Amino acid sequence: MLYLISYDIAVDKRRTRIAKILEGFGQRVQYSVFECDLTAKQYSKLRGKLHKVLRPADGDNLRTYRLCGVCAPHTEIVGNGPTLETSVTIYIF
């Protein structure tokens, strides 16, 4: 499953920790946006690591959007930046 993860974190140290965690699971496509192609087990591990660092009471905001195999190929990229890296296989009949 392809996950699009974005965050808004005011504290520099915590924001850096979140970015480093996400870099271990996917690719940065914008400053605070990552694309991660993960299995359910990998996603569960990622969530656990993120939840140990996030502080919603301090204003941290992290959003995760799941893109299915049908939706992922419809991603439009305009401008510079990395291409969509995914192992999603599309079957057209």
Side-chain angles (χ1 to χ4, degrees):
M1 184 72 64
L2 182 65
Y3 297 88
L4 180 69
I5 302 173
S6 65
Y7 58 86
D8 186 12
I9 299 171
V11 178
D12 291 341
K13 185 176 180 180
R14 212 164 42 244
R15 184 174 53 247
T16 299
R17 287 181 66 196
I18 293 293
K20 287 188 183 293
I21 291 168
L22 287 166
E23 285 170 351
F25 287 86
Q27 71 173 352
R28 184 187 296 254
V29 293
Q30 291 186 359
Y31 184 72
S32 61
V33 180
F34 283 78
E35 291 172 347
C36 305
D37 188 18
L38 306 171
T39 64
K41 187 174 181 178
Q42 290 169 322
Y43 179 65
S44 178
K45 184 175 181 179
L46 172 59
R47 282 188 75 217
K49 289 178 178 264
L50 292 171
H51 284 274
K52 287 180 183 177
V53 179
L54 288 168
R55 299 287 176 258
D58 293 340
D60 290 357
N61 183 350
L62 184 134
R63 292 176 182 252
T64 302
Y65 302 91
R66 294 185 334 175
L67 299 176
C68 69
V70 174
C71 298
H74 298 285
T75 301
E76 181 178 1
I77 301 170
V78 178
N80 296 329
T83 59
L84 184 66
E85 287 185 13
T86 177
S87 62
V88 173
T89 304
I90 306 301
Y91 297 97
I92 300 176
F93 298 95

